[in-house]
Amino acid sequence: MEAVGEKEKEISKKIEEITSLKEKFAEEGKEKIQEIEQLKAQVSAGGMEKELAVSEAVQKKEEEISQKNTEIMELKSQLSNKETERQLKEQALQKEYEDKIKQKDEQIEYYKDFKARQSTKMIGESLEQHCLNEFNSIRMMAFPAAYFEKDNDAKTGSKGDFIFREEAEGVEFISIMFEMKNEMDTTATKHKNEDFFKELDKDRREKGCEYAVLVSLLEIDNELYNKGIVDVSYKYEKMYVIRPQFFIPIISLLRNAALNSLSYRQELELARHQQVDVLQFEKNMNVFKEGFSRNYRIASNKFKTAIEEIDKTISHLQKTREALLSSENNLRLANNKAEELSIKKLTKDAPTVKAMFDGAKSGDAVGKQIALLEDDDIVELDETDE
């Protein structure tokens, strides 16, 4: 019985514990249910926010996609316009190219027909006349102060066709030697442009020109010369080859380039003049020095000659003095002899003469003359006395 009571107590105790645990679990379950409800509410609220965010994101993406589609449509439209523009440009360029080809063909045909109707001499002269007419047609408008004339100076053995020169404020800033070359299509020996480069360069240098230009209708099918202005300065300095249609453009091109350097040319010309002035001053100084030295040398030589002549004169005068002194001595001796002379001394050893003197005393003519001689004391001196 006691064992049963203890078992019942244990069971009651266990029941109480279980009841207590149930209550505890019930409270905890309520709390958990509340938490779950709260979590459900939070999840529900979060889902709405997510849906809203997703909706906003979807709307934003749809707007971006719409904007991109608009941009794509605009780009497609622009590409279409560009393509149309490109096609129009291509058509315009093709038409321009075809027009140029046609113009060149017409020009080639014109020159071929033009040359076919002329003699060989007339071909060259007509090209020169053509260039001259082209220049004269704009001379007063574009080049009023320029010199453009035929080169007629052949003193060096050769000459060009035309020379162009222009100056400003006394300074020449551009000069061009022109040579015009053409030939008939039926000519057996065909010339090339380069056949005339050497001679043209020689003419340019001899005539003091800065540039050389060959105006040529030779090699009419050569595309190099048909494209425009051809610079051949890699062979000869400052030389160009052109077709007649580029005659005026190359003058303008070279002239405008030279005008840009005009101030430097003027400064250089001033420096050259100053240098020339200095050289001229030095030259004048040297001329003066040479003239002064020459005059001094001549004067010195004349002075020496004069001194020598004076010395000679002194020597001559000395000799004359000695001669005069000697003459004086001789005259003194002669005078002494004259003073000592008498008829008696003269007739001392001359009886005949003495007889003559004696006859004078008697009155004859000879005696009278001798008496006169005696009276005047005139006697001849011996030439041997000194």
Side-chain angles (χ1 to χ4, degrees), residues 325-341 379 381-382 384-386:
L325 290 174
S326 178
S327 298
E328 182 185 4
N329 186 47
N330 287 325
L331 288 172
R332 181 179 57 77
L333 293 173
N335 184 56
N336 292 336
K337 290 180 178 182
E339 289 178 353
E340 295 175 356
L341 183 66
V379 296
L381 296 176
D382 189 357
T384 60
D385 290 338
E386 293 182 358

Side-chain angles (χ1 to χ4, degrees), residues 70-214:
T70 303
E71 290 177 357
I72 290 170
M73 293 299 293
E74 290 178 355
L75 289 173
K76 284 182 177 180
S77 176
Q78 290 177 2
L79 287 174
S80 177
N81 293 335
K82 290 288 183 182
E83 181 66 20
T84 303
E85 185 179 353
R86 185 186 64 81
Q87 291 178 355
L88 291 173
K89 284 184 178 180
E90 285 183 357
Q91 292 176 0
L93 288 173
Q94 185 174 1
K95 187 176 184 303
E96 183 180 357
Y97 177 75
E98 290 175 352
D99 290 342
K100 286 183 177 180
I101 293 296
K102 183 180 178 182
Q103 184 179 1
K104 284 186 176 180
D105 291 341
E106 290 176 351
Q107 191 172 18
I108 289 171
E109 290 299 324
Y110 167 77
Y111 282 118
K112 285 183 177 180
D113 179 67
F114 179 70
K115 290 189 294 183
R117 290 184 283 105
Q118 292 182 310
S119 65
T120 303
K121 183 174 185 299
M122 285 294 293
I123 286 174
E125 290 180 352
S126 296
L127 182 57
E128 293 177 16
Q129 190 63 42
H130 167 76
C131 293
L132 181 61
N133 292 340
E134 285 289 312
F135 185 85
N136 287 336
S137 65
I138 62 168
R139 180 194 287 264
M140 296 311 297
M141 179 178 62
F143 312 107
Y147 169 91
F148 182 77
E149 300 293 341
K150 283 188 66 66
D151 180 17
N152 295 318
D153 183 7
K155 62 184 179 182
T156 59
S158 64
K159 62 183 181 69
D161 287 328
F162 287 96
I163 294 178
F164 174 88
R165 298 183 187 274
E166 189 170 358
E167 62 180 35
E169 299 179 5
V171 177
E172 182 179 281
F173 63 90
I174 181 67
S175 57
I176 309 171
M177 169 65 72
F178 283 100
E179 182 76 16
M180 285 71 176
K181 289 298 177 184
N182 193 8
E183 64 185 1
M184 295 183 66
D185 294 332
T186 56
T187 304
T189 304
K190 296 293 183 181
H191 290 286
K192 293 185 177 180
N193 289 316
E194 62 184 18
D195 295 341
F196 302 96
F197 290 171
K198 184 177 181 180
E199 188 71 17
L200 177 56
D201 183 68
K202 175 175 173 290
D203 293 336
R204 177 186 75 85
R205 295 178 184 277
E206 289 179 348
K207 302 304 169 58
C209 294
E210 184 177 3
Y211 295 97
V213 176
L214 177 64

Side-chain angles (χ1 to χ4, degrees), residues 169-309:
E169 299 179 5
V171 177
E172 182 179 281
F173 63 90
I174 181 67
S175 57
I176 309 171
M177 169 65 72
F178 283 100
E179 182 76 16
M180 285 71 176
K181 289 298 177 184
N182 193 8
E183 64 185 1
M184 295 183 66
D185 294 332
T186 56
T187 304
T189 304
K190 296 293 183 181
H191 290 286
K192 293 185 177 180
N193 289 316
E194 62 184 18
D195 295 341
F196 302 96
F197 290 171
K198 184 177 181 180
E199 188 71 17
L200 177 56
D201 183 68
K202 175 175 173 290
D203 293 336
R204 177 186 75 85
R205 295 178 184 277
E206 289 179 348
K207 302 304 169 58
C209 294
E210 184 177 3
Y211 295 97
V213 176
L214 177 64
V215 184
S216 171
L217 283 173
L218 306 178
E219 301 181 71
I220 199 68
D221 296 325
N222 190 328
E223 286 301 316
L224 173 64
Y225 299 111
N226 291 335
K227 289 181 179 179
I229 298 172
V230 181
D231 185 353
V232 293
S233 57
Y234 59 90
K235 285 190 175 182
Y236 293 93
E237 183 183 8
K238 295 186 176 182
M239 183 178 293
Y240 300 89
V241 181
I242 61 169
R243 295 303 188 198
Q245 63 267 30
F246 296 103
F247 175 67
I248 297 300
I250 196 169
I251 295 178
S252 300
L253 181 67
L254 297 178
R255 177 181 179 273
N256 292 337
L259 276 174
N260 293 331
S261 63
L262 179 59
S263 59
Y264 301 106
R265 289 174 183 267
Q266 290 173 336
E267 292 176 2
L268 179 61
E269 191 67 22
L270 178 61
R272 284 177 178 172
H273 281 304
Q274 292 174 346
Q275 182 69 19
V276 169
D277 291 342
V278 171
L279 293 175
Q280 187 64 37
F281 176 78
E282 292 179 351
K283 181 180 177 182
N284 293 338
M285 179 65 74
N286 292 331
V287 169
F288 172 77
K289 287 180 178 179
E290 291 175 0
F292 183 84
S293 176
R294 177 176 175 275
N295 292 335
Y296 176 80
R297 186 171 59 256
I298 292 173
S300 179
N301 292 336
K302 294 288 185 182
F303 185 74
K304 289 179 181 178
T305 302
I307 291 175
E308 291 175 356
E309 292 297 327

